[in-house]
Structures are given as C-alpha cells and as structure tokens.
Amino acid sequence: MNKQQFLNELRQYLEGEVSYQILNENIDYYDHYFDEQKSMGKTEAEIAQELGKPSLIARTIIDASGVEQSAYYEEQVYTENGEVDQEEESGMHVIEVKWYHKLIFAIVLILIIALLVTVTGAVVSFLAPVILVLLIIALIRRLLS
C-alpha cells in the first residue's frame, strides 16, 4: 500500500465519524509522518506496513474523539461576514465530571445516609419506651374489661 492509498482509506473510515477538523488534523499528521519516514530512507510500503491497517487507526481516532466530543459541546453562531458572534449565548455547555467529583459526591451521600440512620435511631430509641408503655396500658385495659 502506498501513501495515497493509506490516506484515502483512512479518510474513508473517518468521514462521517469525526468532525472535519479532527479528520483533517489526522490526515495531515499521517501525511507528514510518511514524508518524515521517506526522508529517512523507508519506502511508502514499509511505512504503511509499520503503521498497520488504516481501519484500526481510524477506530482509535473515532474512539478518542468520542470522549472529547461528549465531554463538551458548543454550538457557535456566525455573523453575516462569517465571524463567530461573541454576543450570542447559544449552545449547550456540559460539565465534565471528573473522578474526584464522583468521590466527593459519594462521601457526601454516605454522610447523609449516616446522618439519617443516626436520627432515625435516636427517634426510635426515644419513641420505643413510649410505645411500649402505651402497649402495656392498652393490654391492661383489655384484660380488665
């Protein structure tokens, strides 16, 4: 496989799966990579063989770009002359949840559950004797009547 075949196949696998920016960045990267390796005396076939299948490279790029795209999405509004409109507030901003956010949430949740168990235990320990006395009084009334 030569350089052009490799790049065409990679482009074919990436089209429709990633943004044009990511597609072009990766095509440019592998284009330059081929040029660098050729300047070191390797043939295009050797370089393509070392890189592996374009479909596997494309899958890796798609998977990596999926993480980036799901973490943050922004829709931009353009003015008539093609510039980004800075005044327009549009799009959806998603907060990226990091591992330490999850840890803090778990700790807070555990503390809330512990507080509820403690309060419930205190209420039950206070009410249990009262309920027991009321049950004994009800039993005595029943026995006497």
Side-chain angles (χ1 to χ4, degrees):
M1 176 180 298
N2 66 26
K3 172 183 170 181
Q4 199 56 48
Q5 291 170 326
F6 182 91
L7 295 176
N8 287 342
E9 196 170 323
L10 182 60
R11 179 181 300 277
Q12 185 178 25
Y13 284 112
L14 291 175
E15 281 182 342
E17 298 291 333
V18 296
S19 69
Y20 284 109
Q21 179 184 358
I22 292 173
L23 184 144
N24 289 329
E25 286 173 1
N26 283 282
I27 295 297
D28 287 344
Y29 171 80
Y30 285 102
D31 184 37
H32 293 307
Y33 183 82
F34 266 90
D35 292 341
E36 287 177 8
Q37 294 297 311
K38 280 174 55 177
S39 69
M40 294 179 178
K42 294 183 180 178
T43 66
E44 289 184 357
E46 290 173 331
I47 300 165
Q49 186 176 7
E50 287 175 3
L51 287 172
K53 295 180 179 181
S55 60
L56 294 177
I57 294 171
R59 176 57 27 206
T60 303
I61 294 167
I62 292 165
D63 290 346
S65 70
V67 170
E68 294 168 9
Q69 289 172 355
S70 67
Y72 179 78
Y73 167 76
E74 181 181 68
E75 179 182 320
Q76 294 181 334
V77 176
Y78 294 90
T79 61
E80 289 180 16
N81 59 359
E83 296 175 0
V84 176
D85 188 355
Q86 299 297 331
E87 296 176 12
E88 182 70 32
E89 288 292 326
S90 67
M92 175 179 70
H93 298 275
V94 178
I95 298 172
E96 184 176 350
V97 180
K98 304 215 184 267
W99 68 269
Y100 51 85
H101 293 139
K102 293 177 183 177
L103 178 64
I104 291 170
F105 177 76
I107 290 171
V108 168
L109 187 63
I110 290 169
L111 290 174
I112 289 172
I113 291 171
L115 180 65
L116 288 174
V117 168
T118 303
V119 169
T120 304
V123 169
V124 168
S125 66
F126 174 75
L127 291 179
V130 173
I131 293 172
L132 186 60
V133 169
L134 291 174
L135 284 174
I136 291 173
I137 291 173
L139 273 172
I140 292 173
R141 280 189 176 174
R142 212 175 227 191
L143 288 174
L144 294 177
S145 55

